[in-house]
Amino acid sequence: MRIKILGSAAGGGFPQWNCGCSNCSRLRRGELNAVPRSQIQVSITTDDQHWFLLNASPDLRYQIEATPELHPRKLRDTPVAGVVLTTGDLDQVLGLLLMRELQPIRIYATEAVRTIVQHENAFFNMLAQYDGQSRWKPIDATAPFTLEADGAPMLRCSPVPLGSGYPAWVPPALANRLPREEAVLGLIIEERGGKGKLGYFPACGKITPELVELMEGCDVVLFDGTFWEDRELQRAEPSARTARQMGHVPQGGPEGTLAMLAGLRRPRKILIHINNTNPILDRDSAEHRQVIESGWEIAEDGWDIRL
Ligand SMILES: [Zn+2]
């Protein structure tokens, strides 16, 4: 399996258009030892010909142009064989609208995510201009499914319900009717023949023993790197919710990710979905050093990982 990280930041990117936090303003002035990042986007393949996108970032147009492997090979074409939606979060589905140019597209999603994305937003009719333009493949939040390219099975995905709520834009009356386990999924993605296993958990609100065990079986884990501290966002926006209320375990502290996952031995551990306020983005910070010394890496746009 090959994993390309096209974007590694949380929603808003780094820097974020309306943010004058220490990280964003120093990055703009060229005074921060850090690199800019686009909003999270991961693509995977096993044959370098057919690629699957994990969600669809608002930065997808630019990310595809920056990635020669994803360019069309003939007049109207794409090596993108499908998109897997793990949530209905705006920052993870907006990119679908950028893929609307009458190009057939296969979308794997739970019924709940399909309902909120497609039926609640008339914009998404642009993905249904003719029969078969968007080919939604319903997935069960608790049953494995297969990613297919040109009719052939390519990767096996096992969803892991992560138990957070539906995005804030979903009307509460609708959100309350939908099954909670379909709201946010992690994924264990395996190559056929057991040649490589990726754990994808860009939004994780709770680290359970079961989750740790699943991650220990992986070769690479891409894990929620959103915030260092629970109250980090409140310093920029006093009315903001805490990291945990937003469904993100922070990295620091006795119950943070570094402590809770200190026992992981097998996988290569990479933080992704990093918010622009997170001090780990600054390579000269104590927090960055602590992350690296704990055996974690901090994802950057353009990384190419081969299992
Ligand atoms: Zn900022």
Side-chain angles (χ1 to χ4, degrees):
M1 188 181 344
R2 186 173 166 204
I3 304 157
K4 282 210 84 167
I5 296 179
L6 313 185
S8 53
F14 180 47
Q16 176 176 308
W17 72 281
N18 68 335
C19 191
C21 77
S22 165
N23 276 349
C24 289
S25 50
R26 286 190 296 152
L27 184 74
R28 290 189 187 100
R29 292 198 301 264
E31 294 169 2
L32 189 73
N33 185 4
V35 290
R37 287 168 166 86
S38 62
Q39 297 169 93
I40 185 169
Q41 182 66 60
V42 171
S43 60
I44 53 177
T45 186
T46 57
D47 63 2
D48 291 339
Q49 303 298 315
H50 305 85
W51 291 80
F52 290 92
L53 302 180
L54 305 183
N55 299 309
S57 157
D59 293 325
L60 191 56
R61 193 204 74 86
Y62 147 82
Q63 291 164 334
I64 286 177
E65 286 310 315
T67 310
E69 294 90 334
L70 297 180
H71 293 172
R73 298 149 296 193
K74 53 185 177 21
L75 186 58
R76 280 287 195 262
D77 174 61
T78 176
V80 175
V83 180
V84 186
L85 299 182
T86 62
T87 162
D89 208 56
L90 210 53
D91 301 318
Q92 308 274 18
V93 303
L94 272 179
L96 287 176
L97 290 173
L98 308 176
M99 303 175 82
R100 71 191 179 281
E101 320 288 355
L102 299 177
Q103 182 71 42
I105 176 174
R106 187 179 290 126
I107 306 166
Y108 299 81
T110 60
E111 277 300 334
V113 165
R114 177 182 179 171
T115 298
I116 61 174
V117 169
Q118 194 187 27
H119 299 161
E120 290 295 307
N121 299 285
F123 277 159
F124 282 90
N125 292 339
M126 291 304 283
L127 292 176
Q129 297 180 74
Y130 62 89
D131 264 359
Q133 183 187 355
S134 47
R135 299 165 188 175
W136 290 82
K137 296 283 216 181
I139 61 175
D140 185 320
T142 54
F145 61 97
T146 303
L147 299 179
E148 287 181 4
D150 285 342
M154 185 174 253
L155 289 157
R156 178 185 157 94
C157 282
S158 304
V160 183
L162 293 176
S164 301
Y166 286 91
W169 61 263
V170 180
L174 173 61
N176 291 338
R177 283 204 309 274
L178 298 169
R180 201 172 160 75
E181 73 271 15
E182 294 190 14
V184 180
L185 302 178
L187 295 172
I188 303 282
I189 303 171
E190 290 169 82
E191 194 168 348
R192 289 160 58 78
K195 283 187 286 188
K197 208 180 210 187
L198 163 68
Y200 187 64
F201 301 95
C204 179
K206 197 174 177 202
I207 298 173
T208 62
E210 295 76 28
L211 189 59
V212 175
E213 198 182 321
L214 282 173
M215 285 196 269
E216 188 59 48
C218 293
D219 299 297
V220 174
V221 167
L222 296 176
F223 194 80
D224 188 334
T226 316
F227 298 112
W228 175 258
E229 270 187 89
D230 201 32
R231 294 180 177 275
E232 186 174 310
L233 201 54
Q234 292 174 334
R235 274 201 288 280
E237 295 175 45
S239 61
R241 292 173 296 163
T242 67
R244 288 178 193 274
Q245 284 168 347
M246 294 171 77
H248 301 290
V249 180
Q251 286 101 56
E255 290 177 358
T257 300
L258 299 188
M260 298 286 286
L261 296 181
L264 278 187
R265 288 289 166 263
R266 176 175 161 195
R268 180 176 169 189
K269 302 178 289 184
I270 301 172
L271 293 171
I272 195 166
H273 193 265
I274 303 149
N275 198 59
N276 60 79
T277 51
N278 194 326
I280 68 173
L281 289 167
D282 176 358
R283 290 175 181 139
D284 297 329
S285 71
E287 293 86 353
H288 180 97
R289 194 166 57 246
Q290 197 178 331
V291 166
I292 302 302
E293 285 172 356
S294 302
W296 286 83
E297 297 167 71
I298 303 168
E300 294 178 9
D301 295 12
W303 277 15
D304 195 343
I305 299 165
R306 289 164 196 267
L307 301 187

